[in-house]
């Protein structure tokens, strides 16, 4: 089963683009400009939504790639990267999980709710660094955790309601851009 690629897809856009193929250059320019404007604004809005989960807006925005619309392919695509952002940039919460008090699970916010992430913290330690344990050559090793990606946060922020508002905004932007093109 193929993995679903997270992203914002606009339904119905393909039929509009196909119907505009034989239209004048002004319509194609207006379409491309409106799609790129909406893509930029959507990236900023999603980064702001993700930033509410406890990471800076700049870090979140840097992890979302925007593929701009072109003449040959008039579709803009927003896709989050799977790179890990170190835990020092996230606002984390810890909860003690064992009776000895030497392990605490790590939790971060996703869409306003707590989500448990990979790793643990020594709650009695001074630095409270997020660690992971793995086995290599039959020996347990502990090292610093790599971090957490924003993919799940992106999927939660780009829900059906958000996609609907993006589609409505895109229609308004196209009309505005088309009127600008006609004035030239």
């Amino acid at each position: 089963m193929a993995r679903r690629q997270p992203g914002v897809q606009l339904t119905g856009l393909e039929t509009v683009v196909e119907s505009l193929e034989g239209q004048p250059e002004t319509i194609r320019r207006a379409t491309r400009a409106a799609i790129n404007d909406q893509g930029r604004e959507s990236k900023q809005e999603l980064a702001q939504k993700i930033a509410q989960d406890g990471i800076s807006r700049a870090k979140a925005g840097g992890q979302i790639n925007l593929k701009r619309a072109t003449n040959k392919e008039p579709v803009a695509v927003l896709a989050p990267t799977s790179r890990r952002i170190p835990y020092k940039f996230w606002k984390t919460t810890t909860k003690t999980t064992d009776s000895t008090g030497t392990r605490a699970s790590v939790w971060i916010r996703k869409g306003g709710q707590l989500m448990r992430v990979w790793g643990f913290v020594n709650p009695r330690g001074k630095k409270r660094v997020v660690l992971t344990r793995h086995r290599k050559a039959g020996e347990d090793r502990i090292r610093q955790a790599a971090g957490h990606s924003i993919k799940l946060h992106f999927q939660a922020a780009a829900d059906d309601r958000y996609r609907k508002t993006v589609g409505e905004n895109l229609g308004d932007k196209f009309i505005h851009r088309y009127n600008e093109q006609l004035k030239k």
Side-chain angles (χ1 to χ4, degrees):
M1 182 174 184
R3 288 178 52 187
R4 186 180 83 110
Q5 291 293 329
V8 177
Q9 298 289 331
L10 300 175
T11 58
L13 185 64
E14 293 82 20
T15 57
V16 173
V17 171
E18 288 173 8
S19 67
L20 296 176
E21 281 299 320
Q23 298 296 321
E25 181 66 27
T26 57
I27 293 177
R28 285 195 299 253
R29 276 192 204 127
T31 304
R32 187 179 62 244
I35 291 170
N36 287 334
D37 286 348
Q38 186 60 49
R40 257 189 319 278
E41 285 182 17
S42 296
K43 178 179 175 176
Q44 290 172 351
E45 290 172 10
L46 287 171
Q48 190 63 38
K49 277 186 165 183
I50 293 170
Q52 294 172 357
D53 290 337
I55 190 165
S56 72
R57 189 197 55 76
K59 282 275 184 204
Q63 299 293 312
I64 300 173
N65 292 331
L66 170 64
K67 182 182 174 198
R68 296 170 49 104
T70 62
N71 285 335
K72 291 183 180 179
E73 197 170 327
V75 176
V77 177
L78 291 173
T81 64
S82 58
R83 285 190 309 247
R84 304 224 176 244
I85 302 172
Y87 283 112
K88 67 182 179 180
F89 296 111
W90 291 93
K91 289 182 185 171
T92 59
T93 304
T94 58
K95 293 182 182 178
T96 305
T97 56
D98 64 349
S99 60
T100 62
T102 59
R103 294 274 167 103
S105 58
V106 181
W107 299 72
I108 61 174
R109 294 212 170 276
K110 180 185 93 174
Q113 298 179 351
L114 286 176
M115 173 181 80
R116 188 175 181 179
V117 292
W118 185 259
F120 65 91
V121 171
N122 180 359
R124 295 183 181 171
K126 291 181 182 177
K127 292 185 179 180
R128 297 181 59 94
V129 176
V130 180
L131 304 169
T132 59
R133 183 176 67 100
H134 71 285
R135 189 179 268 302
K136 185 171 183 181
E139 181 180 324
D140 283 340
R141 297 184 182 190
I142 295 177
R143 64 179 177 162
Q144 191 168 349
H148 180 70
S149 70
I150 64 161
K151 235 178 203 183
L152 293 174
H153 301 272
F154 181 88
Q155 289 173 344
D159 57 356
D160 291 334
R161 187 176 52 150
Y162 179 75
R163 283 186 228 126
K164 184 179 177 183
T165 59
V166 167
E168 292 168 359
N169 292 343
L170 181 60
D172 296 340
K173 285 187 188 339
F174 171 73
I175 292 169
H176 176 72
R177 286 294 192 151
Y178 182 67
N179 289 335
E180 282 181 358
Q181 289 290 325
L182 289 178
K183 288 178 185 176
K184 290 183 180 181

